[in-house]
Amino acid sequence: VIMGLESLAEPARVNIVTDSVYIRTGIADWLPKWRNQGWRAGSDRRLRPLANVDLWRRLDTQLGRHEVSVRWVPSHSGHIENEYCDWLARQATRRLAGLRRSMCVA
């Protein structure tokens, strides 16, 4: 999501479709709270450092540049773009696995 938004040269209206509840909830619910709590997570009495704060700050910067909406879709539910993204990710994983095997051959 971050790299996709960063790749846009100009501010744009963007619809993010994701099967990740973590990304959807992070953007829609958690991010404003974390920002207001000084980039810490938890309740007021038990605030702790936020995991991956560098990535969430980068995402927050991009959300400020663009007009973004987020929609969650269930994974493997036939949503054509989601299925295509899943296929691309699996292909990339296979290529990386093949590269690692070839680098380990003596």
Side-chain angles (χ1 to χ4, degrees):
V1 172
I2 296 167
M3 292 175 68
L5 294 172
E6 286 177 343
S7 73
L8 301 172
E10 299 292 326
R13 186 175 291 163
V14 179
N15 296 311
I16 297 171
V17 178
T18 181
D19 62 6
S20 169
V21 173
Y22 179 69
I23 291 296
R24 189 250 167 244
T25 306
I27 291 172
D29 300 331
W30 299 333
L31 196 60
K33 293 176 189 175
W34 292 333
R35 189 183 325 107
N36 291 336
Q37 295 176 163
W39 296 101
R40 292 173 294 169
S43 65
D44 291 332
R45 293 183 182 177
R46 297 185 133 193
L47 291 175
R48 62 188 183 285
L50 178 63
N52 301 310
V53 68
D54 56 328
L55 298 175
W56 286 108
R57 283 181 183 231
R58 278 177 58 196
L59 180 56
D60 189 45
T61 298
Q62 294 307 310
L63 294 173
R65 283 186 61 222
H66 305 288
E67 185 180 325
V68 177
S69 65
V70 182
R71 182 168 66 104
W72 177 82
V73 296
S75 58
H76 309 292
S77 63
H79 186 280
I80 192 72
E81 289 92 350
N82 185 259
E83 297 294 339
Y84 181 60
C85 287
D86 183 70
W87 180 83
L88 289 172
R90 284 185 280 117
Q91 295 302 312
T93 300
R94 287 184 185 118
R95 281 194 300 275
L96 287 173
L99 286 174
R100 279 195 212 114
R101 277 194 296 273
S102 67
M103 291 172 31
C104 295
V105 175

